Protein backbone atom coordinates (compact mmCIF):
# COMPACT_ATOMS: atom_id res chain seq x y z
CA UNK A 1 0.00 0.00 0.00
CA UNK A 2 1.47 3.36 -0.99
CA UNK A 3 1.17 6.35 1.33
CA UNK A 4 -1.32 8.89 -0.01
CA UNK A 5 -0.08 12.37 -0.92
CA UNK A 6 -0.17 14.85 1.98
CA UNK A 7 -3.33 16.97 2.10
CA UNK A 8 -3.33 20.77 2.35
CA UNK A 9 -4.12 20.33 6.02
CA UNK A 10 -1.10 18.02 6.54
CA UNK A 11 1.18 20.54 4.85
CA UNK A 12 -0.20 23.39 6.97
CA UNK A 13 0.42 21.45 10.17
CA UNK A 14 3.94 20.46 9.12
CA UNK A 15 4.63 24.14 8.38
CA UNK A 16 3.28 25.18 11.78
CA UNK A 17 5.44 22.54 13.53
CA UNK A 18 8.46 23.90 11.66
CA UNK A 19 7.58 27.48 12.61
CA UNK A 20 7.43 26.50 16.29
CA UNK A 21 11.01 25.22 16.12
CA UNK A 22 12.20 28.57 14.69
CA UNK A 23 10.31 30.85 17.10
CA UNK A 24 10.47 31.49 20.85
CA UNK A 25 7.55 30.09 22.90
CA UNK A 26 6.09 33.50 23.84
CA UNK A 27 2.44 34.05 22.72
CA UNK A 28 0.87 36.09 21.33
CA UNK A 29 3.61 36.81 18.84
CA UNK A 30 2.98 39.77 16.52
CA UNK A 31 3.95 39.99 12.87
CA UNK A 32 6.34 42.92 13.37
CA UNK A 33 6.55 44.62 16.74
CA UNK A 34 8.08 48.01 17.61
CA UNK A 35 11.17 47.89 19.86
CA UNK A 36 12.25 50.76 22.15
CA UNK A 37 15.00 51.26 24.71
CA UNK A 38 16.57 53.84 27.00
CA UNK A 39 17.83 55.97 24.12
CA UNK A 40 14.28 56.49 22.78
CA UNK A 41 13.10 57.44 26.28
CA UNK A 42 15.95 59.95 26.70
CA UNK A 43 15.50 61.70 23.33
CA UNK A 44 11.70 61.94 23.66
CA UNK A 45 12.06 63.36 27.20
CA UNK A 46 14.54 65.93 25.84
CA UNK A 47 11.80 67.16 23.49
CA UNK A 48 9.30 67.50 26.31
CA UNK A 49 11.84 69.34 28.48
CA UNK A 50 12.88 71.69 25.67
CA UNK A 51 9.34 72.40 24.47
CA UNK A 52 10.26 71.46 20.89
CA UNK A 53 7.47 68.97 20.25
CA UNK A 54 5.89 70.12 17.00
CA UNK A 55 6.90 70.49 13.38
CA UNK A 56 10.08 72.47 14.02
CA UNK A 57 13.03 71.48 16.13
CA UNK A 58 16.55 70.09 16.08
CA UNK A 59 15.58 66.39 15.96
CA UNK A 60 13.78 66.76 12.61
CA UNK A 61 16.94 68.04 10.96
CA UNK A 62 19.09 65.44 12.68
CA UNK A 63 16.71 62.68 11.62
CA UNK A 64 16.88 63.84 7.99
CA UNK A 65 20.66 64.03 8.16
CA UNK A 66 20.87 60.46 9.53
CA UNK A 67 18.48 59.24 6.82
CA UNK A 68 20.78 60.69 4.15
CA UNK A 69 23.78 59.00 5.78
CA UNK A 70 22.08 55.60 5.86
CA UNK A 71 20.65 55.73 2.34
CA UNK A 72 23.37 57.67 0.55
CA UNK A 73 20.75 60.09 -0.78
CA UNK A 74 21.45 63.81 -0.94
CA UNK A 75 18.14 64.97 0.59
CA UNK A 76 15.50 63.62 2.97
CA UNK A 77 12.33 65.47 3.94
CA UNK A 78 10.59 64.02 7.01
CA UNK A 79 6.78 63.98 6.89
CA UNK A 80 3.87 62.64 8.94
CA UNK A 81 3.58 59.22 7.26
CA UNK A 82 4.45 57.22 4.16
CA UNK A 83 1.13 57.96 2.48
CA UNK A 84 1.75 61.71 2.83
CA UNK A 85 5.26 61.24 1.41
CA UNK A 86 3.79 59.50 -1.64
CA UNK A 87 1.07 62.14 -2.06
CA UNK A 88 3.64 64.92 -2.03
CA UNK A 89 6.06 62.91 -4.19
CA UNK A 90 3.46 62.17 -6.87
CA UNK A 91 2.50 65.86 -7.06
CA UNK A 92 6.13 66.94 -7.28
CA UNK A 93 6.71 64.38 -10.04
CA UNK A 94 3.97 66.06 -12.07
CA UNK A 95 0.97 63.77 -11.51
CA UNK A 96 -2.20 65.75 -12.18
CA UNK A 97 -5.96 65.09 -12.19
CA UNK A 98 -6.93 62.84 -15.11
CA UNK A 99 -3.52 61.16 -15.38
CA UNK A 100 -2.90 57.43 -15.00
CA UNK A 101 -0.18 56.07 -12.72
CA UNK A 102 1.19 52.54 -13.23
CA UNK A 103 1.71 50.62 -9.99
CA UNK A 104 1.66 47.00 -8.83
CA UNK A 105 -1.59 45.33 -7.76
CA UNK A 106 0.34 43.44 -5.07
CA UNK A 107 1.01 46.16 -2.51
CA UNK A 108 -0.47 47.83 0.55
CA UNK A 109 -3.46 50.08 -0.19
CA UNK A 110 -1.32 53.04 0.97
CA UNK A 111 0.49 52.93 -2.38
CA UNK A 112 -2.70 53.52 -4.40
CA UNK A 113 -4.66 55.92 -2.18
CA UNK A 114 -2.34 58.91 -2.76
CA UNK A 115 -2.63 58.40 -6.54
CA UNK A 116 -6.36 59.00 -6.15
CA UNK A 117 -5.72 61.90 -3.74
CA UNK A 118 -3.92 63.53 -6.70
CA UNK A 119 -7.03 63.08 -8.84
CA UNK A 120 -5.23 60.45 -10.93
CA UNK A 121 -6.25 56.87 -11.73
CA UNK A 122 -4.26 53.81 -10.60
CA UNK A 123 -3.38 51.39 -13.42
CA UNK A 124 -2.34 48.05 -11.93
CA UNK A 125 0.46 45.90 -13.34
CA UNK A 126 1.87 42.48 -12.48
CA UNK A 127 4.88 41.59 -10.35
CA UNK A 128 7.63 39.01 -10.79
CA UNK A 129 8.00 35.99 -8.53
CA UNK A 130 11.65 36.51 -7.61
CA UNK A 131 11.79 40.20 -6.55
CA UNK A 132 8.02 40.49 -5.82
CA UNK A 133 8.27 43.92 -7.50
CA UNK A 134 6.92 45.17 -10.85
CA UNK A 135 7.90 42.72 -13.62
CA UNK A 136 9.78 44.76 -16.27
CA UNK A 137 9.14 42.27 -19.11
CA UNK A 138 5.42 42.03 -18.38
CA UNK A 139 5.21 45.83 -18.02
CA UNK A 140 6.84 46.35 -21.38
CA UNK A 141 4.54 43.83 -23.10
CA UNK A 142 1.55 45.57 -21.55
CA UNK A 143 2.72 49.05 -22.54
CA UNK A 144 3.41 47.92 -26.11
CA UNK A 145 -0.18 46.68 -26.29
CA UNK A 146 -1.91 49.78 -24.87
CA UNK A 147 0.26 52.80 -25.58
CA UNK A 148 -0.60 55.49 -28.07
CA UNK A 149 1.83 58.41 -28.41
CA UNK A 150 0.38 61.89 -28.60
CA UNK A 151 3.24 64.31 -29.09
CA UNK A 152 5.84 63.24 -26.55
CA UNK A 153 3.39 61.82 -23.99
CA UNK A 154 2.15 58.26 -24.08
CA UNK A 155 -1.54 57.66 -23.48
CA UNK A 156 -3.60 54.61 -22.62
CA UNK A 157 -5.36 54.07 -25.97
CA UNK A 158 -8.38 52.50 -24.20
CA UNK A 159 -9.04 55.25 -21.63
CA UNK A 160 -7.50 58.14 -23.57
CA UNK A 161 -5.69 59.27 -20.39
CA UNK A 162 -2.00 60.20 -20.28
CA UNK A 163 0.27 57.63 -18.59
CA UNK A 164 2.23 59.97 -16.33
CA UNK A 165 4.23 57.95 -13.86
CA UNK A 166 5.51 54.53 -12.81
CA UNK A 167 5.26 53.98 -9.05
CA UNK A 168 7.42 50.96 -8.14
CA UNK A 169 7.11 49.23 -4.75
CA UNK A 170 9.89 47.33 -2.95
CA UNK A 171 7.69 44.58 -1.57
CA UNK A 172 8.51 43.07 1.86
CA UNK A 173 11.90 44.82 1.69
CA UNK A 174 13.20 43.30 -1.58
CA UNK A 175 14.37 45.82 -4.15
CA UNK A 176 12.60 45.57 -7.53
CA UNK A 177 14.58 45.23 -10.79
CA UNK A 178 15.20 48.98 -10.92
CA UNK A 179 17.74 49.15 -13.74
CA UNK A 180 15.25 47.56 -16.13
CA UNK A 181 12.31 49.56 -14.76
CA UNK A 182 14.20 52.86 -14.98
CA UNK A 183 14.99 52.11 -18.65
CA UNK A 184 11.30 51.49 -19.36
CA UNK A 185 10.27 54.68 -17.54
CA UNK A 186 12.71 56.62 -19.68
CA UNK A 187 11.58 54.99 -22.92
CA UNK A 188 7.90 55.78 -22.24
CA UNK A 189 8.65 59.17 -20.63
CA UNK A 190 7.11 58.20 -17.31
CA UNK A 191 8.11 59.88 -14.07
CA UNK A 192 9.69 57.22 -11.82
CA UNK A 193 8.74 57.16 -8.13
CA UNK A 194 9.67 54.49 -5.59
CA UNK A 195 7.54 53.33 -2.69
CA UNK A 196 10.36 52.22 -0.40
CA UNK A 197 8.11 52.21 2.69
CA UNK A 198 9.19 48.65 3.54
CA UNK A 199 12.77 48.86 2.30
CA UNK A 200 14.89 51.04 4.61
CA UNK A 201 18.32 49.36 4.67
CA UNK A 202 17.71 47.30 1.50
CA UNK A 203 20.11 47.43 -1.43
CA UNK A 204 20.38 46.02 -4.92
CA UNK A 205 23.75 45.95 -6.67
CA UNK A 206 25.01 48.09 -3.79
CA UNK A 207 22.44 50.86 -4.33
CA UNK A 208 19.93 51.72 -1.64
CA UNK A 209 16.21 51.32 -2.37
CA UNK A 210 14.82 54.67 -3.48
CA UNK A 211 17.92 55.84 -5.33
CA UNK A 212 16.68 55.20 -8.90
CA UNK A 213 13.53 57.32 -8.97
CA UNK A 214 13.16 61.10 -9.02
CA UNK A 215 11.63 60.71 -5.58
CA UNK A 216 11.11 57.87 -3.12
CA UNK A 217 8.94 57.45 -0.03
CA UNK A 218 9.83 55.79 3.28
CA UNK A 219 7.43 54.91 6.12
CA UNK A 220 8.10 54.74 9.85
CA UNK A 221 4.74 53.31 10.83
CA UNK A 222 4.66 51.09 13.93
CA UNK A 223 5.06 47.85 11.95
CA UNK A 224 8.04 48.90 9.81
CA UNK A 225 11.70 48.08 10.46
CA UNK A 226 12.06 51.37 12.41
CA UNK A 227 9.22 53.46 13.77
CA UNK A 228 8.57 57.06 14.76
CA UNK A 229 5.04 56.19 15.92
CA UNK A 230 3.75 57.55 12.64
CA UNK A 231 6.12 59.02 10.12
CA UNK A 232 7.58 59.00 6.66
CA UNK A 233 10.12 60.71 4.45
CA UNK A 234 10.73 61.71 0.88
CA UNK A 235 14.18 60.93 -0.51
CA UNK A 236 15.67 62.64 -3.55
CA UNK A 237 19.00 63.69 -5.03
CA UNK A 238 17.39 66.79 -6.56
CA UNK A 239 17.93 69.87 -4.37
CA UNK A 240 15.09 71.78 -5.99
CA UNK A 241 12.55 68.98 -5.46
CA UNK A 242 13.68 68.67 -1.84
CA UNK A 243 13.22 72.40 -1.23
CA UNK A 244 9.81 72.28 -2.88
CA UNK A 245 8.81 69.25 -0.75
CA UNK A 246 9.88 71.04 2.43
CA UNK A 247 7.95 74.17 1.43
CA UNK A 248 4.74 72.32 0.46
CA UNK A 249 4.85 70.16 3.61
CA UNK A 250 4.79 73.29 5.81
CA UNK A 251 1.76 75.15 4.35
CA UNK A 252 3.96 76.90 1.76
CA UNK A 253 4.78 79.58 4.31
CA UNK A 254 7.44 82.00 3.21
CA UNK A 255 10.26 82.44 5.70
CA UNK A 256 9.68 85.66 7.64
CA UNK A 257 10.24 86.62 11.28
CA UNK A 258 6.56 87.50 11.88
CA UNK A 259 4.38 87.69 8.76
CA UNK A 260 2.07 84.93 7.50
CA UNK A 261 2.66 84.82 3.76
CA UNK A 262 1.84 81.64 1.84
CA UNK A 263 2.31 81.17 -1.89
CA UNK A 264 0.46 77.91 -2.67
CA UNK A 265 -2.35 75.67 -1.48
CA UNK A 266 -0.18 73.24 0.42
CA UNK A 267 -0.10 70.65 3.21
CA UNK A 268 0.55 70.32 6.91
CA UNK A 269 2.66 67.19 6.42
CA UNK A 270 5.88 67.94 8.35
CA UNK A 271 7.02 65.34 10.90
CA UNK A 272 6.80 66.63 14.51
CA UNK A 273 10.04 66.90 16.48
CA UNK A 274 8.68 64.43 19.06
CA UNK A 275 8.38 61.72 16.41
CA UNK A 276 11.72 62.63 14.86
CA UNK A 277 13.39 62.17 18.28
CA UNK A 278 12.07 58.61 18.36
CA UNK A 279 13.37 58.18 14.80
CA UNK A 280 16.88 59.37 15.66
CA UNK A 281 17.15 56.83 18.47
CA UNK A 282 15.78 54.09 16.19
CA UNK A 283 18.15 54.92 13.31
CA UNK A 284 21.14 54.56 15.62
CA UNK A 285 20.19 50.85 15.82
CA UNK A 286 19.52 50.21 12.14
CA UNK A 287 22.66 48.14 11.53
CA UNK A 288 22.04 45.84 14.52
CA UNK A 289 18.45 45.44 13.46
CA UNK A 290 19.42 44.50 9.90
CA UNK A 291 21.89 41.93 11.23
CA UNK A 292 19.31 40.42 13.59
CA UNK A 293 16.65 40.25 10.88
CA UNK A 294 19.06 38.51 8.51
CA UNK A 295 19.88 36.01 11.26
CA UNK A 296 16.15 35.34 11.75
CA UNK A 297 15.68 34.89 8.00
CA UNK A 298 18.55 32.38 7.89
CA UNK A 299 17.07 30.48 10.81
CA UNK A 300 13.75 30.22 8.93
CA UNK A 301 15.63 29.11 5.80
CA UNK A 302 17.35 26.26 7.70
CA UNK A 303 14.10 25.24 9.41
CA UNK A 304 12.12 25.10 6.15
CA UNK A 305 14.90 23.62 3.99
CA UNK A 306 13.69 20.03 4.41
CA UNK A 307 9.96 20.66 4.26
CA UNK A 308 8.68 19.55 0.84
CA UNK A 309 5.31 21.33 1.01
CA UNK A 310 6.39 24.89 1.87
CA UNK A 311 9.24 27.06 0.59
CA UNK A 312 10.80 30.12 2.12
CA UNK A 313 10.95 32.78 -0.62
CA UNK A 314 14.66 33.28 -1.43
CA UNK A 315 16.45 36.63 -1.43
CA UNK A 316 16.26 37.93 -5.04
CA UNK A 317 19.45 37.91 -7.16
CA UNK A 318 21.62 40.98 -6.55
CA UNK A 319 19.53 42.01 -3.53
CA UNK A 320 20.70 42.63 -0.03
CA UNK A 321 17.27 42.81 1.57
CA UNK A 322 16.30 44.17 4.99
CA UNK A 323 14.07 41.05 5.29
CA UNK A 324 11.22 43.16 6.64
CA UNK A 325 8.82 40.21 6.52
CA UNK A 326 10.00 36.74 5.48
CA UNK A 327 7.61 35.07 3.01
CA UNK A 328 6.57 31.43 3.04
CA UNK A 329 4.98 29.94 -0.10
CA UNK A 330 2.46 27.12 0.33
CA UNK A 331 1.35 24.86 -2.55
CA UNK A 332 -2.18 26.32 -2.77
CA UNK A 333 -4.78 28.54 -1.15
CA UNK A 334 -6.27 25.75 0.98
CA UNK A 335 -2.89 25.09 2.60
CA UNK A 336 -2.35 28.83 3.08
CA UNK A 337 -5.69 29.29 4.81
CA UNK A 338 -5.22 26.18 6.96
CA UNK A 339 -1.85 27.52 8.14
CA UNK A 340 -3.22 31.03 8.83
CA UNK A 341 -6.12 29.52 10.77
CA UNK A 342 -4.00 27.12 12.87
CA UNK A 343 -1.30 29.72 13.64
CA UNK A 344 -3.87 32.33 14.58
CA UNK A 345 -5.54 29.86 16.99
CA UNK A 346 -2.29 29.55 18.92
CA UNK A 347 -1.39 33.24 18.90
CA UNK A 348 1.23 33.39 16.11
CA UNK A 349 0.54 36.47 14.00
CA UNK A 350 0.93 35.26 10.42
CA UNK A 351 -0.63 37.30 7.60
CA UNK A 352 -1.50 36.67 3.95
CA UNK A 353 -0.48 39.22 1.32
CA UNK A 354 -2.71 42.26 0.94
CA UNK A 355 -5.79 41.55 -1.19
CA UNK A 356 -4.64 42.57 -4.70
CA UNK A 357 -5.77 46.15 -5.16
CA UNK A 358 -7.75 45.65 -8.39
CA UNK A 359 -10.15 43.51 -6.33
CA UNK A 360 -10.93 46.19 -3.73
CA UNK A 361 -14.33 47.86 -4.31
CA UNK A 362 -12.95 51.38 -4.88
CA UNK A 363 -10.44 50.16 -7.51
CA UNK A 364 -12.44 47.56 -9.47
CA UNK A 365 -13.06 50.02 -12.32
CA UNK A 366 -9.37 50.94 -12.64
CA UNK A 367 -7.44 49.65 -15.66
CA UNK A 368 -5.11 46.71 -15.11
CA UNK A 369 -2.72 44.44 -16.97
CA UNK A 370 -3.03 40.64 -16.79
CA UNK A 371 -2.06 39.73 -13.18
CA UNK A 372 -1.24 35.99 -13.06
CA UNK A 373 1.81 36.26 -10.77
CA UNK A 374 0.00 38.64 -8.40
CA UNK A 375 -2.90 36.19 -8.10
CA UNK A 376 -0.58 33.23 -7.56
CA UNK A 377 1.53 34.93 -4.87
CA UNK A 378 -1.60 36.17 -3.11
CA UNK A 379 -3.11 32.68 -3.08
CA UNK A 380 0.01 30.95 -1.71
CA UNK A 381 1.97 33.52 0.30
CA UNK A 382 2.15 33.82 4.09
CA UNK A 383 4.21 36.51 5.83
CA UNK A 384 6.13 35.25 8.87
CA UNK A 385 6.93 37.15 12.10
CA UNK A 386 9.89 39.43 11.35
CA UNK A 387 10.69 41.46 14.49
CA UNK A 388 14.42 42.01 14.86
CA UNK A 389 14.41 40.81 18.47
CA UNK A 390 13.42 37.32 17.25
CA UNK A 391 16.80 37.11 15.54
CA UNK A 392 18.87 38.61 18.36
CA UNK A 393 21.93 36.47 19.08
C1 LIG B 1 3.42 51.14 5.15
C2 LIG B 1 3.29 51.32 3.71
C3 LIG B 1 2.80 52.51 3.13
C4 LIG B 1 2.17 53.63 3.90
O1 LIG B 1 2.90 54.13 4.93
P1 LIG B 1 2.16 54.86 6.16
O2 LIG B 1 3.30 55.44 6.92
O3 LIG B 1 1.42 53.79 6.91
O4 LIG B 1 1.25 55.89 5.59
C5 LIG B 1 2.80 52.64 1.76
N1 LIG B 1 3.25 51.66 0.97
C6 LIG B 1 3.70 50.49 1.47
C7 LIG B 1 4.21 49.47 0.53
C8 LIG B 1 3.72 50.28 2.85
O5 LIG B 1 4.14 49.10 3.33
Amino acid sequence: MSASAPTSNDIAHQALDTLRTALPPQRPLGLHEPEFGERERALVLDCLDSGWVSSAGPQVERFEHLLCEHTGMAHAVAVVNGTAALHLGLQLAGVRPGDEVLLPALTFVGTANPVVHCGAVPHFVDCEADSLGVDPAALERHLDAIVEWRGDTCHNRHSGRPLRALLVVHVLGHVADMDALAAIAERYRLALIEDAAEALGSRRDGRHAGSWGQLAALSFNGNKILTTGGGGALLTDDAELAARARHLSTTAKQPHPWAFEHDAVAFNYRLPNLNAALGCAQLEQLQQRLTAKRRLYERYARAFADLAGAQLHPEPPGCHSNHWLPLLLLPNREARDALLEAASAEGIGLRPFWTPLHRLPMFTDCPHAPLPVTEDLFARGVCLPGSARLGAA
Side-chain angles (χ1 to χ4, degrees):
M1 224 169 64
S2 67
S4 54
T7 64
S8 296
N9 224 22
D10 296 338
I11 292 168
H13 282 92
Q14 286 163 7
L16 185 56
D17 286 342
T18 307
L19 257 184
R20 284 197 203 100
T21 68
L23 291 171
Q26 167 235 329
R27 305 287 182 267
L29 192 63
L31 189 67
H32 204 292
E33 297 161 344
E35 298 171 41
F36 304 115
E38 283 312 309
R39 186 71 176 146
E40 280 81 353
R41 238 173 276 276
L43 292 189
V44 169
L45 276 177
D46 278 351
C47 289
L48 299 182
D49 292 340
S50 70
W52 288 104
V53 294
S54 201
S55 55
Q59 298 294 347
V60 181
E61 272 168 49
R62 186 158 165 261
F63 185 51
E64 291 176 340
H65 179 76
L66 288 172
L67 281 174
C68 290
E69 265 184 12
H70 281 282
T71 59
M73 298 295 289
H75 306 279
V77 180
V79 295
V80 287
N81 56 52
T83 309
L86 284 170
H87 187 195
L88 203 49
L90 287 161
Q91 288 216 344
L92 288 167
V95 173
R96 296 289 173 265
D99 289 347
E100 279 181 24
V101 174
L102 298 152
L103 74 157
L106 193 70
T107 181
F108 178 57
V109 70
T111 310
N113 284 335
V115 172
V116 180
H117 296 327
C118 290
V121 176
H123 183 142
F124 300 112
V125 297
D126 208 10
C127 55
E128 53 178 3
D130 63 355
S131 77
L132 309 176
V134 171
D135 181 337
L139 175 63
E140 188 139 47
R141 277 197 306 278
H142 181 59
L143 286 173
D144 280 345
I146 65 156
V147 154
E148 176 180 284
W149 286 94
R150 296 189 197 158
D152 59 5
T153 310
C154 67
H155 284 63
N156 175 346
R157 74 166 87 236
H158 304 296
S159 68
R161 289 185 287 252
L163 291 163
R164 192 68 64 195
L166 172 61
L167 173 52
V168 176
V169 183
H170 304 305
V171 175
L172 306 184
H174 304 307
V175 183
D177 185 356
M178 290 311 299
D179 287 342
L181 292 168
I184 292 172
E186 192 174 335
R187 199 165 322 131
Y188 291 89
R189 300 196 181 227
L190 304 165
L192 180 63
I193 303 147
E194 296 177 63
D195 179 347
E198 302 170 2
L200 179 64
S202 298
R203 290 169 194 278
R204 184 162 178 144
D205 303 325
R207 279 175 76 168
H208 196 280
S211 65
W212 283 264
Q214 282 143 276
L215 294 143
L218 295 174
S219 166
F220 309 106
N221 188 33
N223 63 350
K224 299 301 200 294
I225 183 167
L226 302 183
T227 186
T228 57
L234 265 178
L235 301 175
T236 182
D237 280 331
D238 183 323
E240 229 166 277
L241 283 178
R244 195 83 196 130
R246 212 162 258 127
H247 187 59
L248 290 177
S249 68
T250 48
T251 66
K253 184 181 179 300
Q254 293 178 342
H256 192 279
W258 42 262
F260 288 102
E261 295 295 344
H262 306 260
D263 57 20
V265 175
F267 303 100
N268 178 16
Y269 275 175
R270 202 83 166 110
L271 186 72
N273 201 54
L274 203 51
N275 302 76
L278 210 49
C280 290
Q282 294 263 295
L283 261 179
E284 290 168 9
Q285 302 157 45
L286 180 61
Q287 278 319 314
Q288 291 96 299
R289 236 171 242 198
L290 289 169
T291 305
K293 286 170 71 68
R294 177 163 296 272
R295 204 180 293 126
L296 173 64
Y297 171 79
E298 283 163 0
R299 194 194 307 148
Y300 280 132
R302 282 194 300 277
F304 282 101
D306 300 326
L307 196 67
Q311 278 94 42
L312 192 70
H313 178 263
E315 191 164 32
C319 260
H320 196 79
S321 171
N322 68 3
H323 292 293
W324 177 51
L325 293 178
L327 175 68
L328 190 67
L329 291 167
L330 281 298
N332 54 48
R333 186 158 182 163
E334 293 73 53
R336 181 200 79 167
D337 289 352
L339 175 58
L340 289 167
E341 199 64 51
S344 162
E346 72 171 75
I348 303 180
L350 307 185
R351 290 286 180 275
F353 265 117
W354 317 276
T355 298
L357 298 185
H358 68 293
R359 300 223 225 131
L360 299 181
M362 60 287 194
F363 298 132
T364 46
D365 292 338
C366 295
H368 67 82
L371 300 165
V373 180
T374 298
E375 296 286 4
D376 180 61
L377 286 170
F378 172 63
R380 300 195 298 117
V382 170
C383 295
L384 305 180
S387 303
R389 72 175 172 80
L390 299 176

